[in-house]
Amino acid sequence: MFLASCSHIAVPVTAKFPDAPVELRQECETLTKLASTAKLSTVVIAVTENYVKYAKCKRQNQAWNEWYDGQKKIFDDATETRKFPWIRIKK
Amino acid sequence: MWLLTIFSTFLVHAMLMTGVILLACSMFLGAITFFRTYKFPMQILGFILLGAGLYYEGALAHMASQEKAVAALEIKLKTAEAESLRLNGIIITQKRDYDILVQSKGDTIIKYIHDRSTVIDSKCVITPDVIDA
């Protein structure tokens, strides 16, 4: 019993998945709406503004995916413990 | 192995050595009266101490290798944190640069349309130069 009481001790290794940058967590801008009496130049300007907003939103979504894929790969590589099966990393 | 948090390394070594000495004395010093009298208890105690000593020596070696592995993992995690920050920086910079580029292009086009707004509104036609802009 004396010897059997000697089981595992906790390993003090903690790995935390990083927080996403604030820039990537912002909502996309709301698209510009038009009044029914809008002039053609106003319509064209609104279309241009909305195109800019869409392009930014698309890039933000792409950046978000790049961030997640990259961080996941780094995190998975770092917490790989095949060489030390007795160590359980607290995630 | 939690008992190793109470036992010192010295105690484990001492346990093993005492076990070996007790067994050796009980086996080879039978000519001396004291050892002949207490031969059996010394052998029992010697075996117990030798067994426990060997077990805890193994545990100590295991703990040492585990500490080494933990240290290696901690270095790996630190490197990963640095790599993660570097990746954050790259992604944010690229996004910011793209946003600035798109915004400036958009502003240029909007300014161009503003300049030609009277023509566009009067004819109610988007002229080709506006589309090209």
Side-chain angles (χ1 to χ4, degrees):
Chain A
M1 226 171 94
F2 181 71
L3 295 178
S5 65
C6 312
S7 55
H8 274 286
I9 57 164
V11 178
V13 180
T14 313
K16 185 177 164 283
F17 195 79
D19 292 328
V22 182
E23 284 93 332
L24 299 185
R25 298 182 66 183
Q26 284 168 350
E27 270 185 41
C28 291
E29 287 177 76
T30 314
L31 297 182
T32 309
K33 285 179 182 169
L34 286 168
S36 55
T37 54
K39 291 176 185 170
L40 184 60
S41 64
T42 318
V43 174
V44 179
I45 287 169
V47 168
T48 312
E49 279 174 357
N50 285 344
Y51 183 80
V52 168
K53 285 174 187 174
Y54 164 74
K56 281 184 184 177
C57 187
K58 187 184 171 198
R59 184 67 186 85
Q60 183 173 324
N61 181 262
Q62 188 192 335
W64 177 260
N65 282 315
E66 280 171 11
W67 181 87
Y68 178 75
D69 291 342
Q71 297 295 348
K72 191 174 185 313
K73 190 179 178 308
I74 293 169
F75 187 76
D76 287 348
D77 287 349
T79 53
E80 172 62 64
T81 56
R82 235 179 319 176
K83 285 181 188 168
F84 321 107
W86 65 89
I87 294 179
R88 284 183 202 89
I89 295 179
K90 215 169 147 189
K91 292 181 186 177
Chain B
M1 279 195 291
W2 60 269
L3 275 170
L4 286 175
T5 55
I6 305 165
F7 290 0
S8 67
T9 314
F10 171 77
L11 194 68
V12 174
H13 295 324
M15 205 187 277
L16 182 73
M17 287 311 295
T18 314
V20 170
I21 290 166
L22 280 177
L23 279 178
C25 290
S26 66
M27 281 177 197
F28 304 114
L29 297 176
I32 301 166
T33 322
F34 174 79
F35 291 109
R36 196 171 51 242
T37 314
Y38 295 106
K39 187 181 175 179
F40 187 61
M42 275 168 72
Q43 274 180 337
I44 289 176
L45 191 63
F47 273 121
I48 290 170
L49 286 177
L50 182 70
L54 279 176
Y55 180 84
Y56 282 110
E57 284 290 344
L60 275 180
H62 175 68
M63 263 185 75
S65 72
Q66 197 181 33
E67 274 167 19
K68 211 172 154 187
V70 168
L73 267 179
E74 276 173 346
I75 290 170
K76 216 170 147 188
L77 287 177
K78 283 262 180 330
T79 317
E81 270 174 32
E83 179 66 18
S84 156
L85 283 177
R86 197 182 67 82
L87 181 69
N88 273 3
I90 292 171
I91 289 172
I92 295 301
T93 312
Q94 282 178 350
K95 184 190 169 294
R96 217 171 273 164
D97 291 350
Y98 182 84
D99 283 358
I100 291 167
L101 182 75
V102 166
Q103 190 64 56
S104 78
K105 269 189 179 176
D107 289 346
T108 312
I109 295 168
I110 289 167
K111 191 176 173 297
Y112 194 82
I113 296 164
H114 265 302
D115 294 346
R116 278 147 192 81
S117 60
T118 41
V119 181
I120 295 168
D121 293 337
S122 60
K123 291 181 182 172
C124 204
V125 169
I126 304 170
T127 50
D129 60 323
V130 173
I131 293 167
D132 289 342

